[in-house]
Amino acid sequence: MTTSSTDELQLEYRPFSVRLERPLRTGHGSIESRDGFLVRVTEADDGGIDSPTGRPVGFGEATPLSGWTESYADCKGALEQAQAAFQAGGPEAALEAVDERSAARHGVTLALADFQARRTATPLYRYLGQGPMVARIPVNATIGDGTPADTAADAARAVADGFRCCKLKVGARSVSEDVERVRQVRDAVGPEVELRVDANESWTYDEAGTAIEHFADFEVSLLEQPLPAGALEGHATLRGNGVPIALDEGVLEHGVDAICRAGAADAVVLKPMALGGVDVARRVAAWVTELGVVPIVTTTIDAVVARTGAVHLAAAIPDVPACGVATGDLLAEDLARDPVLLENGSAVVPQTKGLGVEGVWTE
Ligand SMILES: O=C(O)CCC(=O)C1=CC=C[C@@H](O)[C@@H]1C(=O)O
Ligand SMILES: [Mg+2]
């Protein structure tokens, strides 16, 4: 990475908290707010808000999530160390300071990537992937746990808003109630809409087998993490019964090498915040694609900076399937205007330099 000399650059961070519109109930429990840190890389003498002088600036976001990344306190501590290391030894030293803290590393690396992509007047996805221009990427709607009728209504609303793929949370209720929820959603949205379900490790092998029998009838296209993260063989045995299997929590538990060797997944979910950065996630996506496993990018219900980074990551992955990056509407508030337009089941990829997020760091 070529950057200005250390004494010309500085790394800063500041805390934020954004509420969700309503708690996202999952098999793991509920997510009610997202508390993290905005990260900014600027030229040391930069005077201010989003570098009005037009000099390069880079934004990142470190938003820890329990069960997926380090704790908030550990993330804060790692960013403190990274700021000092950056001052003393530049980006490479800062990256060493966050090496074992995935959310903190995500924030620092995204800010550095945004900084470099802005300097070269390149959209972040092209800076990441050196690939062709990509105008839009397919996205799924994210629908939390609710009664069968409420879930069906939420899915119908998403389809009316243009989504062609809905991912439903399951696992917080009995398998029979979840089967009924998916049945009612399928009846509500018709046969053309893609339905995926995410159990967040909630089921036993028998429960997963029962669910798959019914979900195959409803033409569910993907079942995410039915069994606990540690189960590799169990997931391998569930495959091939009419509903493809994706691993999410299992990616963090085993790594993609073990998953692919065990033949445990048809797809893997790549969460840049949990993997330590969009750079890591893109390398993993290329790797699993080589092995015939489908990469799916999702956010960790992040604020606009990390969420836009996930959109750029998805745009850097050739032939990416619908991704879970349309999560901005789950938030009651955000840190800045969303540069990503959602329409007709896709996200329009920002083509401006860098991430394309502005107005996010106001004094
Ligand atoms: O995949 C999506 O549609 C959005 C992201 C999403 O569902 C999740 C983000 C973070 C934690 C979980 O609640 C959940 C998941 O397990 O994939
Ligand atoms: Mg998941």
Side-chain angles (χ1 to χ4, degrees):
M1 163 179 293
T2 53
T3 58
S4 314
S5 71
T6 306
D7 57 2
E8 289 174 10
L9 299 182
Q10 65 181 13
L11 183 140
E12 306 157 89
Y13 65 94
R14 57 172 49 165
F16 72 84
S17 176
V18 289
R19 289 172 293 110
L20 268 68
E21 194 69 59
R22 56 181 169 165
L24 177 66
R25 193 167 165 227
T26 78
H28 276 319
S30 281
I31 301 175
E32 309 203 355
S33 74
R34 299 296 289 116
D35 305 324
F37 302 89
L38 264 179
V39 180
R40 185 174 78 162
V41 169
T42 53
E43 290 181 345
D45 60 353
D46 175 79
I49 302 169
D50 283 6
S51 184
T53 58
R55 281 200 300 273
V57 64
F59 295 113
E61 180 186 324
T63 313
L65 182 62
S66 170
W68 299 86
T69 72
E70 75 275 21
S71 69
Y72 183 91
D74 284 352
C75 181
K76 184 173 188 289
L79 289 173
E80 278 167 4
Q81 290 173 20
Q83 185 174 38
F86 194 102
Q87 194 62 38
E92 287 70 21
L95 289 178
E96 277 175 34
V98 294
D99 194 41
E100 300 295 314
R101 298 285 184 268
S102 61
R105 187 186 185 283
H106 177 278
V108 172
T109 52
L110 186 57
L112 288 167
D114 186 27
F115 181 89
Q116 287 302 327
R118 284 172 186 251
R119 279 168 70 98
T120 53
T122 312
L124 184 68
Y125 76 93
R126 300 198 75 174
Y127 174 80
L128 288 174
Q130 315 299 324
M133 191 268 182
V134 172
R136 55 186 63 230
I137 52 131
V139 296
N140 63 261
T142 306
I143 295 172
D145 178 72
T147 65
D150 287 349
T151 308
D154 288 345
R157 195 174 309 114
V159 172
D161 287 346
F163 287 95
R164 288 292 163 268
C165 178
C166 295
K167 171 173 136 174
L168 316 176
K169 285 294 174 189
V170 295
R173 301 163 184 263
S174 68
V175 170
S176 57
E177 193 168 3
D178 278 332
V179 166
E180 183 54 24
R181 290 176 63 237
V182 178
R183 182 201 316 280
Q184 290 198 24
V185 168
R186 177 54 80 199
D187 289 347
V189 302
E192 301 307 315
V193 172
E194 181 184 349
L195 294 185
R196 299 173 181 172
V197 295
D198 183 354
N200 289 108
E201 308 183 76
S202 298
W203 289 333
T204 64
Y205 184 80
D206 288 345
E207 288 171 329
T210 302
I212 287 171
E213 273 173 36
H214 294 283
F215 290 168
D217 292 342
F218 306 149
E219 298 201 352
V220 167
S221 65
L222 197 66
L223 168 54
E224 199 174 309
Q225 202 66 51
L227 306 177
L232 269 188
E233 208 174 304
H235 284 108
T237 314
L238 287 175
R239 290 178 65 199
N241 291 299
V243 180
I245 299 295
L247 293 188
D248 186 0
E249 291 84 341
V251 172
L252 305 179
E253 175 88 10
H254 295 288
V256 290
D257 198 18
I259 288 168
C260 296
R261 272 203 314 271
D266 298 285
V268 288
V269 174
L270 304 180
K271 289 177 162 52
M273 192 68 69
L275 290 172
V278 293
D279 55 339
V280 174
R282 204 186 72 77
R283 287 197 296 272
V284 174
W287 181 9
V288 299
T289 301
E290 285 286 308
L291 299 171
V293 175
V294 175
I296 296 175
V297 176
T298 89
T299 71
T300 27
I301 320 296
D302 307 305
V304 62
V305 174
R307 189 172 66 245
T308 307
V311 170
H312 281 279
L313 167 64
I317 297 171
D319 306 319
V320 74
C323 288
V325 295
T327 54
D329 59 356
L330 297 177
L331 302 179
E333 55 195 342
D334 212 332
L335 301 175
R337 186 184 66 78
D338 194 333
V340 174
L341 172 69
L342 297 176
E343 61 174 13
N344 302 329
S346 61
V348 178
V349 183
Q351 301 299 330
T352 52
K353 57 187 180 181
L355 266 172
V357 176
E358 301 299 343
V360 74
W361 189 289
T362 48
E363 300 313 309

